[in-house]
Protein backbone atom coordinates (compact mmCIF):
# COMPACT_ATOMS: atom_id res chain seq x y z
CA UNK A 1 0.00 0.00 0.00
CA UNK A 2 2.76 2.39 0.98
CA UNK A 3 4.67 1.48 -2.16
CA UNK A 4 1.64 2.29 -4.34
CA UNK A 5 1.21 5.64 -2.56
CA UNK A 6 4.89 6.42 -3.04
CA UNK A 7 4.71 5.50 -6.73
CA UNK A 8 1.58 7.62 -7.15
CA UNK A 9 3.24 10.63 -5.57
CA UNK A 10 6.36 10.15 -7.68
CA UNK A 11 4.32 9.88 -10.87
CA UNK A 12 2.33 13.02 -9.96
CA UNK A 13 5.55 14.93 -9.29
CA UNK A 14 7.08 13.75 -12.56
CA UNK A 15 3.91 14.68 -14.43
CA UNK A 16 3.90 18.16 -12.86
CA UNK A 17 7.57 18.68 -13.76
CA UNK A 18 6.96 17.56 -17.33
CA UNK A 19 3.97 19.90 -17.64
CA UNK A 20 6.03 22.83 -16.34
CA UNK A 21 8.84 22.03 -18.78
CA UNK A 22 6.37 21.89 -21.69
CA UNK A 23 4.63 25.08 -20.61
CA UNK A 24 3.03 26.93 -22.31
CA UNK A 25 1.05 24.51 -24.44
CA UNK A 26 -1.94 26.83 -24.88
CA UNK A 27 -2.79 30.57 -24.57
CA UNK A 28 -2.05 32.30 -21.26
CA UNK A 29 -4.56 34.63 -19.59
CA UNK A 30 -3.23 37.86 -18.08
CA UNK A 31 -5.87 39.36 -15.80
CA UNK A 32 -5.90 43.14 -15.39
CA UNK A 33 -7.86 44.01 -12.22
CA UNK A 34 -9.00 47.38 -13.56
CA UNK A 35 -10.99 48.72 -16.49
CA UNK A 36 -9.72 49.21 -20.03
CA UNK A 37 -7.76 52.40 -20.64
CA UNK A 38 -6.11 52.97 -17.25
CA UNK A 39 -2.39 52.80 -16.59
CA UNK A 40 -2.55 49.14 -15.48
CA UNK A 41 -4.33 48.17 -18.68
CA UNK A 42 -1.90 50.17 -20.83
CA UNK A 43 1.12 48.44 -19.27
CA UNK A 44 -0.42 44.97 -19.68
CA UNK A 45 -1.42 45.52 -23.31
CA UNK A 46 1.99 46.99 -24.10
CA UNK A 47 3.91 43.91 -22.95
CA UNK A 48 1.39 41.20 -23.95
CA UNK A 49 2.32 40.99 -27.68
CA UNK A 50 6.04 40.82 -26.88
CA UNK A 51 5.37 38.19 -24.20
CA UNK A 52 3.38 36.18 -26.73
CA UNK A 53 6.31 36.25 -29.11
CA UNK A 54 8.82 35.26 -26.43
CA UNK A 55 6.68 32.42 -25.06
CA UNK A 56 5.44 31.08 -28.38
CA UNK A 57 1.81 31.25 -27.21
CA UNK A 58 -0.79 34.01 -27.13
CA UNK A 59 -0.95 36.08 -23.93
CA UNK A 60 -4.55 37.27 -23.73
CA UNK A 61 -5.33 40.32 -21.59
CA UNK A 62 -8.62 40.12 -19.70
CA UNK A 63 -10.03 43.02 -17.68
CA UNK A 64 -11.73 41.99 -14.43
CA UNK A 65 -12.51 45.30 -12.72
CA UNK A 66 -14.31 45.84 -9.43
CA UNK A 67 -13.81 46.78 -5.78
CA UNK A 68 -10.64 48.75 -6.41
CA UNK A 69 -8.92 45.84 -8.12
CA UNK A 70 -9.92 43.21 -5.56
CA UNK A 71 -12.18 41.26 -7.96
CA UNK A 72 -9.45 40.63 -10.52
CA UNK A 73 -6.78 40.01 -7.91
CA UNK A 74 -9.01 37.46 -6.18
CA UNK A 75 -9.48 35.62 -9.47
CA UNK A 76 -5.72 35.36 -9.90
CA UNK A 77 -5.20 34.22 -6.31
CA UNK A 78 -7.79 31.45 -6.71
CA UNK A 79 -6.59 30.25 -10.13
CA UNK A 80 -5.09 26.81 -10.70
CA UNK A 81 -1.30 27.22 -10.36
CA UNK A 82 -0.47 25.83 -13.79
CA UNK A 83 0.80 29.05 -15.39
CA UNK A 84 -2.21 29.61 -17.64
CA UNK A 85 -3.78 32.26 -15.39
CA UNK A 86 -1.51 35.14 -14.41
CA UNK A 87 -2.39 38.64 -13.24
CA UNK A 88 -1.11 42.19 -13.00
CA UNK A 89 -0.41 43.23 -9.40
CA UNK A 90 -0.50 46.87 -8.32
CA UNK A 91 -0.01 48.74 -5.06
CA UNK A 92 -3.79 49.03 -4.79
CA UNK A 93 -4.37 45.26 -5.08
CA UNK A 94 -1.42 44.04 -3.00
CA UNK A 95 -0.92 46.79 -0.41
CA UNK A 96 -3.32 49.69 0.07
CA UNK A 97 -6.63 47.86 -0.41
CA UNK A 98 -5.70 44.84 1.73
CA UNK A 99 -4.41 47.24 4.40
CA UNK A 100 -7.76 49.01 4.80
CA UNK A 101 -10.35 46.48 3.62
CA UNK A 102 -10.99 43.58 6.02
CA UNK A 103 -13.16 41.89 3.39
CA UNK A 104 -10.26 41.24 1.00
CA UNK A 105 -10.20 37.45 0.84
CA UNK A 106 -6.58 36.96 -0.19
CA UNK A 107 -3.25 37.50 1.55
CA UNK A 108 -1.11 39.62 -0.79
CA UNK A 109 2.10 38.13 0.62
CA UNK A 110 1.24 34.41 0.76
CA UNK A 111 -1.48 33.92 -1.88
CA UNK A 112 0.52 35.04 -4.93
CA UNK A 113 3.75 34.01 -6.64
CA UNK A 114 5.54 37.25 -7.56
CA UNK A 115 7.36 37.02 -10.89
CA UNK A 116 8.51 40.48 -12.03
CA UNK A 117 7.75 44.16 -11.57
CA UNK A 118 7.32 45.48 -15.11
CA UNK A 119 7.18 49.21 -14.47
CA UNK A 120 6.83 51.91 -11.85
CA UNK A 121 4.82 55.08 -12.29
CA UNK A 122 5.29 58.44 -10.55
CA UNK A 123 2.36 59.87 -8.63
CA UNK A 124 1.55 63.57 -8.40
CA UNK A 125 -0.30 65.99 -6.16
CA UNK A 126 -1.84 68.62 -8.42
CA UNK A 127 -4.28 71.46 -7.91
CA UNK A 128 -6.85 73.39 -9.92
CA UNK A 129 -5.32 76.55 -11.45
CA UNK A 130 -7.56 78.64 -9.19
CA UNK A 131 -5.86 77.33 -6.05
CA UNK A 132 -4.07 80.24 -4.28
CA UNK A 133 -0.61 78.64 -4.52
CA UNK A 134 1.45 77.14 -7.34
CA UNK A 135 4.43 75.68 -5.49
CA UNK A 136 4.86 73.27 -2.58
CA UNK A 137 5.80 75.84 0.06
CA UNK A 138 2.81 78.03 -0.73
CA UNK A 139 0.56 74.97 -1.02
CA UNK A 140 1.35 73.73 2.50
CA UNK A 141 1.15 77.25 3.93
CA UNK A 142 -2.37 77.68 2.50
CA UNK A 143 -3.52 74.33 3.88
CA UNK A 144 -2.14 75.05 7.35
CA UNK A 145 -3.71 78.50 7.35
CA UNK A 146 -7.10 76.98 6.51
CA UNK A 147 -7.33 73.51 8.13
CA UNK A 148 -10.28 71.51 6.85
CA UNK A 149 -11.19 74.04 4.16
CA UNK A 150 -9.94 72.03 1.19
CA UNK A 151 -10.68 68.54 -0.15
CA UNK A 152 -8.73 66.15 -2.33
CA UNK A 153 -10.12 63.76 -4.94
CA UNK A 154 -8.94 60.20 -5.63
CA UNK A 155 -10.04 57.22 -7.68
CA UNK A 156 -11.55 55.60 -4.59
CA UNK A 157 -11.24 54.63 -0.95
CA UNK A 158 -8.42 52.20 -0.26
CA UNK A 159 -6.46 52.85 -3.44
CA UNK A 160 -2.86 54.00 -3.54
CA UNK A 161 -3.92 57.63 -4.11
CA UNK A 162 -6.04 57.63 -0.97
CA UNK A 163 -3.54 56.02 1.38
CA UNK A 164 -0.50 57.78 -0.03
CA UNK A 165 -2.21 61.14 0.49
CA UNK A 166 -3.10 60.12 4.04
CA UNK A 167 0.55 59.22 4.62
CA UNK A 168 1.57 62.65 3.32
CA UNK A 169 -1.07 64.41 5.47
CA UNK A 170 0.23 62.64 8.55
CA UNK A 171 3.84 63.62 7.91
CA UNK A 172 3.10 67.16 6.66
CA UNK A 173 0.68 67.97 9.48
CA UNK A 174 -2.16 69.24 7.29
CA UNK A 175 -5.92 68.66 7.31
CA UNK A 176 -7.80 68.11 4.03
CA UNK A 177 -10.90 66.00 3.38
CA UNK A 178 -10.93 62.91 1.18
CA UNK A 179 -13.49 62.80 -1.64
CA UNK A 180 -13.47 59.32 -3.21
CA UNK A 181 -14.70 58.76 -6.77
CA UNK A 182 -15.52 55.65 -8.76
CA UNK A 183 -12.38 55.86 -10.82
CA UNK A 184 -9.60 58.27 -11.71
CA UNK A 185 -11.46 59.77 -14.68
CA UNK A 186 -14.37 61.23 -12.70
CA UNK A 187 -11.96 62.49 -10.02
CA UNK A 188 -9.83 64.27 -12.60
CA UNK A 189 -12.87 65.76 -14.29
CA UNK A 190 -14.13 67.35 -11.08
CA UNK A 191 -10.75 68.80 -10.13
CA UNK A 192 -10.26 70.20 -13.63
CA UNK A 193 -13.76 71.67 -13.37
CA UNK A 194 -12.94 73.24 -10.01
CA UNK A 195 -15.41 71.18 -7.98
CA UNK A 196 -12.53 69.86 -5.82
CA UNK A 197 -9.27 71.76 -5.37
CA UNK A 198 -6.68 68.97 -5.07
CA UNK A 199 -5.99 65.58 -6.59
CA UNK A 200 -3.49 62.80 -5.98
CA UNK A 201 -3.18 60.73 -9.16
CA UNK A 202 -0.93 58.57 -11.32
CA UNK A 203 1.09 60.84 -13.56
CA UNK A 204 0.02 59.20 -16.88
CA UNK A 205 -3.62 60.16 -16.43
CA UNK A 206 -2.91 63.60 -14.95
CA UNK A 207 -0.20 64.55 -17.47
CA UNK A 208 -2.48 65.64 -20.36
CA UNK A 209 -4.24 68.13 -18.06
CA UNK A 210 -0.92 69.37 -16.69
CA UNK A 211 0.38 69.94 -20.22
CA UNK A 212 -2.77 71.90 -21.07
CA UNK A 213 -2.43 74.07 -17.95
CA UNK A 214 -5.68 72.74 -16.52
CA UNK A 215 -3.88 71.26 -13.51
CA UNK A 216 -0.87 72.63 -11.65
CA UNK A 217 1.60 70.00 -10.40
CA UNK A 218 2.83 70.59 -6.84
CA UNK A 219 4.97 67.61 -5.81
CA UNK A 220 5.91 64.19 -7.23
CA UNK A 221 6.56 60.69 -5.96
CA UNK A 222 9.50 59.87 -8.25
CA UNK A 223 13.22 59.02 -7.97
CA UNK A 224 14.16 62.45 -9.34
CA UNK A 225 12.65 65.50 -11.00
CA UNK A 226 11.15 64.81 -14.39
CA UNK A 227 12.28 66.47 -17.59
CA UNK A 228 8.64 67.23 -18.45
CA UNK A 229 8.26 69.37 -15.29
CA UNK A 230 11.71 70.27 -13.95
CA UNK A 231 10.33 72.87 -11.53
CA UNK A 232 8.33 70.28 -9.53
CA UNK A 233 10.17 68.72 -6.56
CA UNK A 234 9.94 65.13 -5.37
CA UNK A 235 8.67 64.20 -1.90
CA UNK A 236 12.24 63.25 -1.01
CA UNK A 237 13.46 66.76 -1.85
CA UNK A 238 10.92 68.35 0.49
CA UNK A 239 12.01 66.08 3.34
CA UNK A 240 9.19 63.52 3.16
CA UNK A 241 10.98 60.52 1.67
CA UNK A 242 8.49 57.95 3.08
CA UNK A 243 5.88 59.39 0.70
CA UNK A 244 8.22 59.13 -2.28
CA UNK A 245 6.68 55.82 -3.38
CA UNK A 246 5.76 55.08 -6.96
CA UNK A 247 2.99 52.82 -8.18
CA UNK A 248 4.09 49.42 -9.48
CA UNK A 249 2.72 47.12 -12.16
CA UNK A 250 4.01 43.56 -12.01
CA UNK A 251 3.14 40.03 -13.02
CA UNK A 252 2.08 37.48 -10.40
CA UNK A 253 0.54 34.04 -10.42
CA UNK A 254 -1.35 32.11 -7.75
CA UNK A 255 0.67 30.57 -4.93
CA UNK A 256 2.36 27.29 -5.80
CA UNK A 257 3.28 28.29 -9.34
CA UNK A 258 6.01 25.89 -10.60
CA UNK A 259 9.51 27.35 -10.50
CA UNK A 260 10.02 26.54 -14.17
CA UNK A 261 6.96 28.59 -15.13
CA UNK A 262 8.18 31.51 -13.01
CA UNK A 263 11.56 31.29 -14.70
CA UNK A 264 10.04 31.27 -18.20
CA UNK A 265 7.64 34.17 -17.56
CA UNK A 266 10.40 36.21 -15.95
CA UNK A 267 12.78 35.62 -18.85
CA UNK A 268 10.07 36.38 -21.42
CA UNK A 269 9.19 39.64 -19.63
CA UNK A 270 12.81 40.78 -19.57
CA UNK A 271 13.04 39.92 -23.26
CA UNK A 272 9.92 42.00 -23.91
CA UNK A 273 11.26 44.95 -21.96
CA UNK A 274 14.38 45.28 -24.11
CA UNK A 275 12.28 45.82 -27.23
CA UNK A 276 12.57 49.54 -28.10
CA UNK A 277 8.88 49.91 -28.97
CA UNK A 278 7.80 48.36 -25.66
CA UNK A 279 10.16 50.53 -23.61
CA UNK A 280 9.11 53.65 -25.48
CA UNK A 281 5.41 52.99 -24.95
CA UNK A 282 5.91 52.45 -21.23
CA UNK A 283 8.10 55.52 -20.87
CA UNK A 284 5.61 57.61 -22.86
CA UNK A 285 3.10 57.09 -20.02
CA UNK A 286 5.57 58.68 -17.59
CA UNK A 287 6.49 55.26 -16.19
CA UNK A 288 9.92 53.76 -15.61
CA UNK A 289 10.86 50.29 -16.88
CA UNK A 290 11.90 48.03 -13.97
CA UNK A 291 12.27 44.28 -14.72
CA UNK A 292 13.46 43.08 -11.30
CA UNK A 293 13.89 39.56 -9.88
CA UNK A 294 10.99 37.56 -8.36
CA UNK A 295 12.43 37.80 -4.84
CA UNK A 296 12.90 41.55 -5.23
CA UNK A 297 9.29 42.00 -6.32
CA UNK A 298 8.14 39.82 -3.40
CA UNK A 299 10.09 42.00 -0.96
CA UNK A 300 8.61 45.14 -2.53
CA UNK A 301 5.04 43.85 -2.11
CA UNK A 302 5.69 42.94 1.53
CA UNK A 303 7.23 46.35 2.27
CA UNK A 304 4.39 48.30 0.62
CA UNK A 305 1.77 46.34 2.53
CA UNK A 306 3.42 47.20 5.84
CA UNK A 307 3.69 50.89 4.92
CA UNK A 308 -0.04 51.15 4.31
CA UNK A 309 -1.01 49.03 7.30
CA UNK A 310 0.88 51.59 9.39
CA UNK A 311 -0.91 54.48 7.63
CA UNK A 312 -4.33 52.93 8.29
CA UNK A 313 -3.49 52.42 11.95
CA UNK A 314 -2.01 55.88 12.55
CA UNK A 315 -4.73 57.75 10.67
CA UNK A 316 -7.51 55.50 12.03
CA UNK A 317 -8.82 54.97 8.50
CA UNK A 318 -11.81 52.83 7.57
CA UNK A 319 -13.79 52.14 4.43
CA UNK A 320 -16.34 54.89 3.76
Amino acid sequence: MQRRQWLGAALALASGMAAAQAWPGKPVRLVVPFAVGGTTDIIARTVAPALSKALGQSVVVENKAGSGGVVGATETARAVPDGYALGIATVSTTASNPAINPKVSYDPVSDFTPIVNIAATPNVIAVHPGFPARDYKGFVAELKKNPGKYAYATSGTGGIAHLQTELWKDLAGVSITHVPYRGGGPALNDVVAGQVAIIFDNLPSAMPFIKEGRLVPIVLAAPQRLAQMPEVPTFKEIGLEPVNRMAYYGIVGPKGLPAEVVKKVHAATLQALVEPAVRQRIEDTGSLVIGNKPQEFAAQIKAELQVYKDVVQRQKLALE
Side-chain angles (χ1 to χ4, degrees):
M1 183 69 172
Q2 288 181 337
R3 178 177 173 79
R4 284 200 300 271
Q5 289 176 335
W6 182 86
L7 284 172
L11 287 170
L13 178 62
S15 176
M17 291 176 64
Q21 289 170 354
W23 184 92
K26 60 182 181 180
V28 177
R29 295 169 59 235
L30 183 61
V31 173
V32 172
F34 297 99
V36 174
T39 304
T40 312
D41 182 66
I42 291 169
I43 298 295
R45 293 182 187 277
T46 297
V47 300
L51 280 176
S52 300
K53 183 170 66 174
L55 292 171
Q57 282 285 350
S58 296
V59 175
V60 182
V61 175
E62 294 186 7
N63 297 83
K64 299 286 184 178
S67 300
V70 171
V71 171
T74 300
E75 181 165 324
T76 299
R78 293 178 178 173
V80 176
D82 58 7
Y84 293 103
L86 305 174
I88 297 291
T90 70
V91 174
S92 291
T93 61
T94 60
S96 61
N97 233 316
I100 195 173
N101 186 356
K103 294 183 179 180
V104 170
S105 61
Y106 57 82
D107 185 317
V109 173
S110 63
D111 286 343
F112 297 105
T113 301
I115 300 174
V116 59
N117 183 7
I118 299 169
T121 297
N123 299 308
V124 62
I125 290 181
V127 297
H128 182 268
F131 191 87
R134 301 180 73 85
D135 60 24
Y136 184 76
K137 184 177 179 180
F139 175 64
V140 172
E142 175 66 17
L143 297 182
K144 289 189 173 182
K145 186 170 67 175
N146 298 284
K149 175 181 177 180
Y150 295 101
Y152 74 97
T154 75
S155 58
T157 300
I160 179 176
H162 175 207
L163 294 200
Q164 199 162 5
T165 306
E166 292 297 322
L167 174 59
W168 169 72
K169 282 171 54 179
D170 182 36
L171 297 176
V174 300
S175 174
I176 53 177
T177 303
H178 180 219
V179 180
Y181 286 78
R182 296 179 64 84
L188 276 165
N189 288 340
D190 268 13
V191 176
V192 169
Q195 301 299 315
V196 182
I198 305 163
I199 190 166
F200 192 111
D201 194 30
N202 290 143
L203 186 59
S205 48
M207 182 66 87
F209 297 101
I210 291 171
K211 287 181 176 178
E212 294 170 2
R214 301 168 75 189
L215 286 177
V216 178
I218 298 296
V219 61
L220 286 166
Q224 58 193 25
R225 294 194 184 201
L226 302 181
Q228 301 98 314
M229 48 185 76
E231 74 287 357
V232 181
T234 67
F235 283 103
K236 182 178 180 179
E237 287 182 76
I238 61 171
L240 298 179
E241 187 168 3
V243 194
N244 208 49
R245 320 185 74 82
M246 295 198 294
Y248 55 67
Y249 306 91
I251 299 177
V252 298
K255 67 180 178 182
L257 204 62
E260 189 64 26
V261 172
V262 173
K263 183 178 178 181
K264 287 182 177 180
V265 176
H266 184 264
T269 305
L270 295 189
Q271 187 175 330
L273 293 177
V274 300
E275 291 194 12
V278 173
R279 295 186 67 90
Q280 186 64 52
R281 179 70 180 109
I282 291 173
E283 290 169 355
D284 282 347
T285 70
S287 303
L288 308 176
V289 174
I290 303 297
N292 60 2
K293 298 177 181 178
Q295 59 268 34
E296 292 172 333
F297 190 31
Q300 187 175 12
I301 290 171
K302 188 175 182 179
E304 288 298 296
L305 177 62
Q306 189 58 54
V307 165
Y308 292 112
K309 280 184 174 179
D310 292 344
V311 172
V312 169
Q313 183 176 17
R314 284 199 309 269
Q315 295 290 82
K316 297 180 173 58
L317 301 177
L319 290 178
E320 298 169 14

